[in-house]
């Protein structure tokens, strides 16, 4: 008799397991948020709002079609925080395990060299990896929660219970780069408060760097020459993007009376830095995004599309991908036949993976922007901002999220899911699906450009 494929046959590739797990998490979150007890009105939420919020939480995005505090009850907010935690830990754990799995496919000589230099773990240490990821995440969240709780009590007169709730909720959403806030204006009311803004910004940056990079920095932060290529690119690109982003927002919005123009100089610097951090994938905002100049929107879109570090809670194409492309372009401009980073040569397969992920990301954003323009009456700059925010799981918006219709919401749900899992699963699939060709075809030069 003919028998259907077994479960193991259907999920032969680890990426399939990750996608299936996140689908299940989104489904469970949708059901929980659809319960009457999840809303302040005591009535079941409509399925689109529940699905959108659940996807946004699991994919640690932060986009919302309803006011989080006004629409969802305490139970609903706890569900959202739980989904954010599951999504963030899931991404960090799976990305780290993929790193180990991919390193296990290296040749013996390359594997010995890599382990000797980086002191990386082997695939037999999976339990220890997961335990360290979870412990690292929880410690960071607790530290941020303590600082925020103290600030809410001392600076804003909140009771201990309320301050603890606010601190815990926002530490979870900050470290996991989710961007859900319990105020209708996100963090605009705290725009000049360094205790709130810097705590959330630091938690966002640490969560977005990625587990392998953070632990390598903890081991050898005094010896940059010993850093791996991953750490060098991640740290270097992160610093460059934060500095450039801060400068761009300062120059662009300095005299805008609806954003930086109303603040004093220290407040402008703090707000510009916070605004440069958040597009990395976090989604909080201390300035009104809808009142920014279009040039600032473009800068924000570029930062959202790039995202944060690999094997972290940030989304986007990853700074690693951008860094690799920079070195590839630089080598091509110099006429070099090999791409070298420090004292290491970049494999051609890795170069192709970076080009493939970037090209597919650009294509997806372009097609989705066209579709959403056709579905809604909004302008190109508003729609493009929304699409990039969903794909980059950044959670920022010009204010049109709730007004794109059911079809638009479903498109954004798709983009958040693909944007969260796409680069991870596609990157691992490309790395694990290498095949040796036993013959070579004749070479033919093609005119480029």
């Amino acid at each position: 008799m003919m028998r259907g494929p077994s479960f193991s046959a259907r999920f032969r590739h680890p990426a399939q397991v990750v996608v299936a797990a996140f689908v299940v998490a989104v489904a469970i979150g949708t059901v929980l948020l659809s319960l009457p007890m999840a809303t302040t009105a005591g009535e079941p939420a409509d399925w689109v709002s529940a699905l959108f919020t659940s996807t946004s939480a699991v994919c640690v995005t932060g986009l919302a079609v309803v006011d989080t505090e006004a629409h969802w009850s305490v139970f609903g907010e706890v569900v959202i925080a739980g989904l954010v935690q599951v999504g963030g830990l899931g991404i960090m754990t799976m990305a780290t395990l993929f790193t180990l799995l991919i390193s296990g496919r290296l040749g013996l000589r390359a594997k010995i060299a890599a382990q000797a230099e980086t002191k990386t773990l082997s695939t037999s240490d999976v339990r220890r990896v997961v335990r360290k990821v979870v412990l690292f995440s929880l410690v960071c969240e607790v530290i941020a929660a303590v600082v925020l709780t103290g600030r809410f009590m001392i600076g804003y007169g909140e009771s201990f219970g309320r301050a603890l709730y606010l601190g815990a909720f926002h530490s979870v959403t900050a470290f996991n780069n989710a961007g859900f806030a319990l105020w209708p204006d996100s963090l605009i009311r705290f725009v000049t408060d360094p205790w709130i803004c810097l705590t959330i910004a630091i938690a966002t940056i640490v969560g977005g760097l990625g587990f392998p990079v953070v632990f390598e920095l903890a081991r050898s932060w005094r010896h940059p020459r010993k850093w791996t290529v991953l750490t060098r690119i991640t740290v270097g690109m992160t610093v460059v993007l934060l500095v450039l982003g801060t400068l761009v927002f300062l120059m662009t919005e300095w005299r805008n009376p609806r954003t930086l123009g109303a603040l004093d100089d220290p407040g402008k610097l703090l707000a510009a830095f916070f605004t440069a951090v958040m597009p990395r994938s976090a989604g909080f905002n201390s300035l009104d995004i809808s009142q920014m100049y279009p040039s600032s929107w473009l800068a924000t879109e570029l930062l959202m599309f790039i995202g944060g570090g690999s094997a972290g809670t940030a989304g986007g194409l990853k700074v690693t991908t951008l860094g690799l492309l920079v070195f590839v372009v630089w080598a091509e401009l110099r006429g070099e036949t090999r791409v070298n980073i420090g004292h290491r040569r970049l494999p051609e397969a890795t170069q192709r993976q970076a080009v493939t992920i970037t090209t597919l990301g650009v294509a997806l954003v372009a097609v989705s922007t066209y579709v959403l323009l056709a579905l809604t009456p909004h302008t190109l700059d508003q729609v493009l901002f929304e699409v990039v925010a969903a794909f980059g799981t950044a959670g920022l918006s010009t204010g049109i999220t709730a007004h794109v219709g059911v079809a638009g919401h479903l498109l954004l749900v798709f983009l958040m899911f693909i944007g969260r899992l796409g680069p991870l699963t596609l990157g691992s699939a490309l790395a694990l699906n290498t095949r040796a060709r036993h013959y070579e075809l004749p070479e033919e030069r093609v005119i480029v450009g």
Side-chain angles (χ1 to χ4, degrees):
M1 295 179 61
M2 297 293 293
R3 300 180 62 183
S6 64
F7 179 83
S8 59
R10 293 177 182 175
F11 297 94
R12 289 179 179 175
H13 197 284
Q16 295 176 306
V17 179
V18 176
V19 173
F22 272 74
V23 168
V24 171
V26 169
I28 293 175
T30 303
V31 172
L32 292 176
L33 292 176
S34 298
L35 298 176
M37 61 188 303
T39 64
T40 55
E43 299 178 356
D46 63 276
W47 69 273
V48 175
S49 298
L51 173 63
F52 191 98
T53 305
S54 177
T55 305
S56 183
V58 173
C59 297
V60 290
T61 303
L63 285 175
V65 293
V66 294
D67 185 343
T68 302
E69 184 186 30
H71 185 82
W72 303 110
S73 64
V74 173
F75 173 80
E77 292 170 359
V78 171
V79 169
I80 291 173
L83 293 175
V84 168
Q85 186 73 82
V86 169
L89 283 178
I91 284 293
M92 289 191 72
T93 303
M94 293 303 174
T96 304
L97 294 181
F98 274 144
T99 302
L100 295 178
L101 186 59
I102 292 169
S103 66
R105 295 288 295 271
L106 295 174
L108 179 60
R109 182 179 302 176
K111 189 187 303 183
I112 293 175
Q115 290 181 347
E117 179 186 0
T118 67
K119 299 179 176 62
T120 52
L121 302 172
S122 65
T123 52
S124 62
D125 295 321
V126 169
R127 268 187 205 175
R128 189 151 60 97
V129 170
V130 174
R131 186 167 58 249
K132 291 182 73 172
V133 170
V134 174
L135 181 62
F136 166 70
S137 302
L138 294 180
V139 168
C140 291
E141 291 171 359
V142 167
I143 293 174
V146 169
V147 176
L148 293 175
T149 299
R151 183 56 180 166
F152 288 134
M153 289 179 60
I154 298 173
Y156 299 94
E158 298 284 357
S159 65
F160 174 75
R162 178 62 178 173
L164 180 62
Y165 179 73
L166 292 173
F169 183 93
H170 292 93
S171 68
V172 170
T173 56
F175 177 79
N176 291 288
N177 281 225
F180 282 96
L182 295 181
W183 298 279
D185 61 353
S186 189
L187 301 180
I188 293 179
R189 64 188 65 191
F190 307 112
V191 62
T192 58
D193 189 331
W195 287 97
I196 301 294
C197 292
L198 290 182
T199 300
I200 289 179
I202 292 172
T204 297
I205 294 172
V206 173
L209 283 176
F211 171 79
V213 172
V214 169
F215 274 80
E216 184 173 353
L217 290 176
R219 288 195 308 266
S220 57
W221 64 274
R222 295 182 179 180
H223 308 284
R225 293 185 178 182
K226 296 182 179 180
W227 293 353
T228 60
V229 172
L230 173 64
T231 300
R232 291 183 182 186
I233 292 179
T234 302
V235 173
M237 293 301 300
T238 296
V239 172
V240 169
L241 291 176
L242 288 178
V243 172
L244 287 180
T246 302
L247 293 176
V248 167
F249 290 123
L250 279 174
M251 292 186 297
T252 306
E253 299 292 328
W254 185 270
R255 298 185 182 278
N256 187 345
R258 295 165 296 183
T259 55
L260 294 183
L263 307 177
D264 57 15
D265 290 353
K268 290 178 180 179
L269 181 60
L270 175 62
F273 173 74
F274 190 83
T275 305
V277 172
M278 291 305 112
R280 307 296 308 289
S281 180
F284 294 103
N285 61 283
S286 62
L287 298 176
D288 189 345
I289 301 296
S290 65
Q291 301 301 317
M292 283 181 162
Y293 294 133
S295 53
S296 296
W297 286 0
L298 178 60
T300 305
E301 289 162 0
L302 292 175
L303 292 174
M304 290 191 298
F305 187 75
I306 295 170
S310 300
T313 57
L317 291 180
K318 311 299 185 184
V319 292
T320 313
T321 305
L322 176 64
L324 294 179
L325 291 179
V326 169
F327 280 101
V328 170
V329 172
W330 179 243
E332 187 66 26
L333 292 176
R334 297 181 63 183
E336 297 179 354
T337 58
R338 296 288 186 269
V339 179
N340 300 319
I341 303 177
H343 299 288
R344 289 290 181 266
R345 178 172 57 86
L346 188 64
E348 293 183 0
T350 304
Q351 301 174 40
R352 293 195 300 269
Q353 292 162 20
V355 172
T356 300
I357 292 174
T358 303
T359 304
L360 291 178
V362 171
L364 181 61
V365 168
V367 172
S368 300
T369 301
Y370 174 83
V371 173
L372 197 59
L373 275 173
L375 293 174
T376 66
H378 303 295
T379 61
L380 174 60
D381 50 1
Q382 291 176 315
V383 169
L384 179 61
F385 194 100
E386 203 77 12
V387 168
V388 176
F391 174 77
T393 66
L396 297 173
S397 174
T398 59
I400 68 170
T401 308
H403 310 291
V404 296
V406 175
H409 288 152
L410 294 180
L411 175 61
L412 293 179
V413 165
F414 171 77
L415 283 172
M416 288 188 289
F417 195 85
I418 294 298
R420 177 71 275 182
L421 295 178
L424 170 65
T425 56
L426 179 59
S428 61
L430 292 174
L432 295 173
N433 195 34
T434 56
R435 294 183 299 175
R437 184 183 291 273
H438 300 290
Y439 62 92
E440 292 290 341
L441 296 173
E443 184 179 271
E444 180 178 348
R445 294 285 184 176
V446 178
I447 298 176
V448 178

